[in-house]
Structures are given as structure tokens and as C-alpha cells.
């Protein structure tokens, strides 16, 4: 369970155990409700190697999205494997809403999922993503992105992705698979993108609403 050693209100993620705890909706730790836990403020206090997890559990679901803040603080999360080909909202953060994800670096990440699949966030709603970097291989049925699978009313700044993104259906993008009314600035993707359906591109696969890039 993460601790707040300096009493600044931010719980410190020191290793794989704390990340597993954050993804486990049945363990509340210091919180009295799951809603409070998922709305908490967290920060990495060091690099985290996830290789001991054969199949990493995403943080946040469509029913219980992550709504807090997560600051990578310049540290790296490495060796993430997620293999859930029949499930949606698959990434390190499965689903976020009104959240802030910043300064997170993910390396050597392999993700397989259904729809809304990526390395960092599968489904991002009204989320601020700042200064995040991922190196990953992402494979999905639809809405596959390197950084984010599907983003709505979300802001992405100074973030990047390298690796490969593949999709057996529609909407694959190097940075984001599909966007709806988002703002993306100062960001880039260096990815090999492929797909069997429609709307595949190196940066954003499919765009709807009023999106500024």
C-alpha cells in the first residue's frame, strides 16, 4: 500500500506492489471507499519494473475509472505485458475520467486488447495528459493507439510514442486511435501503424468533433 512519507497529500508508488494495489478494486488501503481511492493523488518515487506480472491489471475500468492524479515524476515504468484480446479499455490505465496523468515514461510495453487499447490509457475522458512518453507494441480490434486508444474532451501536451500499432478493425493511430473534441499540442509519434479496416494514420487514426492539433 502506498504511503505519504512527507505528508504532502500525495501517495508514493515505490514498486510493483503499490501499482498492483492501485489496480485492485477490492483493496482500499487507507481509503474508506473505492471512489476515494480512484480519486487520489499518486506519484512514482522510483523506477518500476513490471516484469514479474505476466498480465498487468489495468488501473480503472469503464464502471470505476481513475479520476485522480498520477505523476511519474520523471521515473520509468518498464516491461509491461497486458494480454486481454477480448476486453476493452486496456492499457496501463484502462479508463480515466477528469484525471491528470503527467511525467510518465513507459518502456518495453506489449498490449493486446479488444477496443480502446493503448500503452498509457485505453479510454480517456476529460483527462489531462502532459509530458508522457511510451515505447510500445499495441494490437487491438479497434481504437488502437500508442499513447491513448480513445480520447474524448481530453488534452494531450508534450507527449510522444514510439513502436508499433496494429488493428484488425477501424481506427488506429500512432499517438491516439480515435479522438473526439480534443486538444493535442507539442506531441509526436514515431510508429509503424497498420490495420485491416478504415482510418489508420501515423498520428491520429480517426477524428470527430472539434479537435485542435
Amino acid at each position: 500500500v502506498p504511503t505519504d512519507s512527507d505528508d504532502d497529500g500525495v501517495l508514493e508508488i515505490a514498486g510493483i506492489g503499490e501499482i498492483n494495489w492501485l489496480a485492485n478494486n477490492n483493496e482500499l488501503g487507507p481509503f474508506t471507499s473505492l471512489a476515494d481511492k480512484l480519486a487520489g493523488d499518486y506519484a512514482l518515487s522510483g523506477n518500476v519494473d513490471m516484469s514479474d506480472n505476466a498480465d498487468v491489471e489495468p488501473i480503472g475500468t469503464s464502471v470505476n475509472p481513475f479520476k485522480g492524479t498520477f505523476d511519474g515524476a520523471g521515473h520509468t515504468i518498464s516491461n509491461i505485458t497486458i494480454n486481454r484480446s477480448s476486453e476493452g479499455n486496456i492499457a496501463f490505465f484502462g479508463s480515466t475520467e477528469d484525471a491528470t496523468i503527467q511525467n510518465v515514461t513507459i518502456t518495453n510495453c506489449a498490449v493486446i486488447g479488444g477496443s480502446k487499447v493503448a500503452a498509457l490509457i485505453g479510454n480517456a475522458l476529460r483527462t489531462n495528459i502532459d509530458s508522457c512518453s511510451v515505447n510500445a507494441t499495441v494490437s487491438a480490434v479497434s481504437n488502437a493507439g500508442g499513447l491513448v486508444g480513445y480520447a474524448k474532451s481530453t488534452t494531450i501536451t508534450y507527449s510522444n510514442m514510439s513502436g508499433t500499432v496494429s488493428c484488425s478493425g477501424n481506427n488506429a493511430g500512432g499517438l491516439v486511435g480515435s479522438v473526439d473534441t480534443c486538444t493535442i499540442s507539442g506531441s509526436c509519434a514515431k510508429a509503424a501503424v497498420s490495420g485491416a479496416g478504415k482510418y489508420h494514420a501515423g498520428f491520429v487514426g480517426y477524428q470527430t468533433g472539434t479537435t485542435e492539433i
Side-chain angles (χ1 to χ4, degrees), residues 67-156:
K67 296 184 176 183
T69 64
F70 189 98
D71 188 348
H75 300 297
T76 299
I77 305 169
S78 61
N79 303 317
I80 296 172
T81 299
I82 306 176
N83 189 348
R84 302 176 181 228
S85 59
S86 63
E87 299 179 29
N89 301 337
I90 299 300
F92 183 73
F93 289 94
S95 185
T96 62
E97 181 179 323
D98 299 312
T100 295
I101 312 297
Q102 61 190 13
N103 307 314
V104 175
T105 297
I106 291 175
T107 62
N108 193 26
C109 175
V111 183
I112 299 173
S115 180
K116 301 180 181 178
V117 179
L120 185 65
I121 305 174
N123 183 29
L125 174 61
R126 297 189 304 274
T127 296
N128 292 317
I129 302 164
D130 178 58
S131 301
C132 292
S133 175
V134 301
N135 169 254
T137 298
V138 176
S139 178
V141 176
S142 63
N143 296 311
L147 190 76
V148 180
Y150 175 84
K152 183 174 182 178
S153 303
T154 286
T155 299
I156 301 173

Side-chain angles (χ1 to χ4, degrees), residues 123-124 129 143-145 148-156 171-173 175-184 199 203-213:
N123 183 29
I129 302 164
N143 296 311
V148 180
Y150 175 84
K152 183 174 182 178
S153 303
T154 286
T155 299
I156 301 173
N171 308 342
L175 195 74
V176 187
S178 180
V179 297
D180 181 354
T181 317
C182 295
T183 299
I184 303 174
Y199 313 120
F203 194 60
V204 172
Y206 182 79
Q207 174 182 323
T208 188
T210 305
T211 294
E212 296 181 8
I213 299 175

Side-chain angles (χ1 to χ4, degrees), residues 14-17 19-20 44 46-53 56 76-80 107-108:
I16 188 172
I19 289 179
N20 290 341
L44 291 181
N47 297 332
V48 180
D49 183 349
M50 299 295 294
S51 58
D52 284 345
N53 275 20
V56 174
T76 299
I77 305 169
S78 61
N79 303 317
I80 296 172
T107 62
N108 193 26

Side-chain angles (χ1 to χ4, degrees), residues 187-205:
S187 301
C188 64
K190 186 178 181 180
V193 180
S194 62
K198 300 178 180 179
Y199 313 120
H200 310 309
F203 194 60
V204 172

